[in-house]
């Protein structure tokens, strides 16, 4: 990120350097940092609106509650029909904050991270409402993943935790948002008991489609941890938990359809497909992948598809490249950026070194080895010869410097 001096920002905004200095001291310029006696300001920082002006007064008039009681507008019934993402924001024309938020969330689903970052800074810079601040923090966290930026990640969680909560209901929403941020990196260490149980009574019904999405990610994370031996659960080992978890997510998929929540349905289908795929049932995995692709393609929601590629190995590639080769090229390109950023950030947060140099096939072999499968079992599942499996494991060990028994630490 490029930074400018106070004088350069003043010239850019056509104000006095003194005015910019005051805005920095009052904390009204998002991202401004002090080095000794000098201030450095992000080049793309948004000029704060003067509340004394007509424009400022109009913004105050717009500062009304969001049309849904959730910071995840794109996971509500506002967006329910494939191919209508752009039209769905038209009813929000008279609500600037809601329109910016909804369009930023759709931009994230498309992989347009620069727009997401600009929108997050806009919402934070105008001192938005409670849900607006929570939403901006979520958007900033998503940008941090794509960019692999640990400082941005920390700032995002700070903004969420400092949202102007008025009551216990708000504080539960805040806690849920923090959980949603953590689960993006498959971190489940500090979740509240009600979330672990899948009990979402503390949340408004408008937030339930999003809650199910992040709970499905939570279940996948637990299933993966049990499969790799990182988490011990009585009566469960290996892939035993992964094989039964789709039974918990299938009803959530049906509920998402009933709620007319397109994004929620797409994400839940991909989580369910990942569980089916890892537990060996590719027929059911493909059923969900194909439905998710049908939801994503009309609005080019390639960012979401690339996000799930990590857990789908080459299965998503095979399906999408057959259905729409051009879309696959876009998803593959976005995945390279996402994977590099996610791996760097996740490694920093969890104190691990995650590897991005493995091929899709090497990752898949390494993951099954981490699940405890023998070479013969891996060869049978992936339709390879045992010698090819051995070679993939040897190459993975050489690339990572890790023995087979520690593969889970670098995936």
């Amino acid at each position: 990120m490029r930074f400018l001096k106070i004088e350069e920002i003043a010239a850019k905004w056509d104000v006095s350097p003194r005015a910019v200095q005051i805005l920095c001291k009052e904390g009204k310029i998002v991202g401004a940092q002090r080095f000794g006696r000098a201030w450095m300001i992000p080049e793309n920082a948004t000029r704060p609106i003067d509340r004394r002006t007509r424009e400022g007064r109009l913004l105050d008039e717009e500062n009304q509650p969001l049309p849904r009681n959730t910071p995840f507008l794109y996971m509500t019934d506002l967006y329910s029909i494939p191919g209508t993402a752009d039209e769905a924001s038209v009813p929000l024309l008279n609500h600037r904050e809601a329109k910016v938020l909804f369009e930023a969330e759709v931009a994230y689903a498309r992989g347009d991270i620069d727009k997401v970052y600009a929108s997050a800074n806009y919402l934070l810079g105008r001192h938005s409402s409670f849900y607006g601040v929570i939403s901006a923090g979520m958007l900033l966290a998503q940008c941090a993943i794509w960019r692999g930026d640990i400082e941005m990640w920390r700032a995002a969680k700070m903004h969420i935790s400092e949202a102007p909560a008025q009551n216990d209901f708000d504080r539960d929403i805040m806690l849920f948002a923090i959980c949603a941020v953590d689960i993006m990196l498959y971190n489940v260490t500090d979740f509240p008991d009600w979330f672990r149980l899948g009990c979402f009574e503390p949340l408004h019904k408008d937030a339930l489609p999003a809650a199910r999405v992040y709970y499905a990610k939570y279940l996948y994370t637990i299933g993966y941890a049990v499969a790799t031996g990182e988490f011990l659960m009585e009566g469960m080992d290996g892939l035993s938990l992964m094989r039964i978890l789709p039974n918990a997510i299938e009803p959530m998929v049906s509920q998402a359809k009933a709620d007319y929540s397109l994004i929620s349905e797409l994400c839940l289908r991909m989580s369910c497909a990942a569980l089916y795929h890892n537990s060996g049932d590719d027929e059911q995995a493909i059923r969900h992948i194909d439905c998710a692709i049908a939801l994503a393609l009309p609005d080019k929601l390639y960012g979401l598809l690339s996000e799930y590629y990590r857990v789908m190995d080459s299965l998503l590639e095979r399906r999408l490249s057959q259905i729409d080769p051009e879309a696959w090229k876009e998803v593959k390109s976005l995945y390279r950026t996402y994977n590099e950023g996610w791996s760097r950030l996740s490694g920093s947060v969890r104190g691990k070194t995650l590897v991005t140099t493995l091929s899709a096939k090497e990752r898949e072999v390494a993951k099954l080895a981490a699940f405890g499968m023998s070479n013969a079992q891996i060869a049978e599942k992936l339709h390879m010869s045992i010698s090819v499996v051995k070679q993939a494991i040897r190459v993975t060990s050489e690339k990572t410097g890790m023995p087979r028994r520690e593969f889970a630490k670098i995936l």
Side-chain angles (χ1 to χ4, degrees), residues 92-363:
L92 305 175
L93 282 175
N94 295 323
H95 195 318
R96 175 65 176 168
E97 184 170 301
K99 186 173 185 295
V100 169
L101 169 58
F102 179 84
E103 290 179 348
E105 291 175 332
V106 171
Y108 171 73
R110 288 171 168 163
D112 186 355
I113 304 306
D114 288 341
K115 180 174 181 177
V116 177
Y117 182 73
S119 299
N121 281 325
Y122 169 82
L123 292 169
L124 292 170
R126 73 185 296 267
H127 304 288
S128 300
S129 62
F130 170 74
Y131 281 113
V133 174
I134 294 285
S135 303
M138 290 291 301
L139 293 173
L140 204 61
Q142 291 166 335
C143 292
I145 291 177
W146 281 76
R147 296 180 177 181
D149 191 328
I150 184 67
E151 294 304 321
M152 189 185 296
W153 174 264
R154 290 168 178 161
K157 296 185 74 170
M158 179 191 70
H159 287 305
I160 293 173
S161 64
E162 292 180 350
Q166 301 295 320
N167 49 50
D168 288 342
F169 177 79
D170 285 351
R171 281 181 278 276
D172 283 329
I173 287 287
M174 183 188 299
L175 188 58
F176 168 55
I178 292 291
C179 291
V181 167
D182 284 338
I183 201 61
M184 292 178 191
L185 300 182
Y186 303 120
N187 178 9
V188 298
T189 55
D190 299 314
F191 283 21
D193 289 340
W194 55 266
F195 186 91
R196 294 175 188 275
L197 293 172
C199 173
F200 305 131
E201 291 180 2
L203 305 178
H204 191 279
K205 64 181 180 64
D206 291 341
L208 295 185
R212 296 186 190 102
V213 167
Y214 290 107
Y215 187 63
K217 291 186 177 185
Y218 168 79
L219 292 178
Y220 175 85
T221 302
I222 295 298
Y224 186 92
V226 169
T228 58
E230 291 187 290
F231 182 76
L232 300 179
M233 181 177 289
E234 187 176 354
M236 295 288 176
D237 57 14
L239 294 170
S240 58
L241 183 58
M242 266 198 187
R243 291 192 179 100
I244 63 175
L245 284 177
N247 297 331
I249 299 180
E250 288 281 11
M252 297 185 198
V253 175
S254 299
Q255 188 61 53
K257 293 186 68 173
D259 290 339
Y260 300 102
S261 174
L262 184 151
I263 294 290
S264 178
E265 181 186 347
L266 189 162
C267 293
L268 286 167
R269 285 190 181 280
M270 292 304 290
S271 291
C272 202
L275 287 165
Y276 277 129
H277 171 61
N278 285 325
S279 58
D281 191 345
D282 278 355
E283 181 179 352
Q284 293 301 324
I286 289 172
R287 173 173 65 88
H288 281 294
I289 288 174
D290 287 356
C291 288
I293 289 173
L295 294 173
L297 290 187
D299 281 313
K300 299 183 177 180
L301 307 182
Y302 301 150
L304 283 181
L305 293 180
S306 65
E307 178 182 322
Y308 282 93
Y309 181 74
R310 277 190 62 85
V311 295
M312 293 306 308
D313 305 313
S314 58
L315 186 59
L316 177 59
E317 175 180 356
R318 294 202 300 272
R319 298 307 301 168
L320 185 53
S321 61
Q322 291 176 21
I323 295 171
D324 190 330
E326 292 303 313
W328 166 241
K329 290 179 183 178
E330 295 291 334
V331 170
K332 188 176 183 179
S333 177
L334 287 171
Y335 171 69
R336 292 193 192 100
T337 302
Y338 175 82
N339 184 47
E340 188 174 318
W342 186 93
S343 298
R344 185 164 62 248
L345 179 61
S346 184
S348 298
V349 171
R350 296 191 288 167
K352 296 182 177 182
T353 301
L354 303 185
V355 178
T356 61
T357 57
L358 297 180
S359 68
K361 188 58 67 177
E362 288 164 355
R363 267 190 60 84

Side-chain angles (χ1 to χ4, degrees), residues 361 364-366 368-369 373-393 404:
K361 188 58 67 177
E364 194 164 10
V365 170
L368 296 179
M373 289 189 179
S374 66
N375 289 346
Q377 290 172 320
I378 296 173
E380 181 180 2
K381 177 175 172 57
L382 300 182
H383 307 292
M384 296 177 173
S385 67
I386 294 180
S387 62
V388 170
V389 172
K390 289 180 178 178
Q391 181 182 8
I393 290 175
R404 177 187 184 125

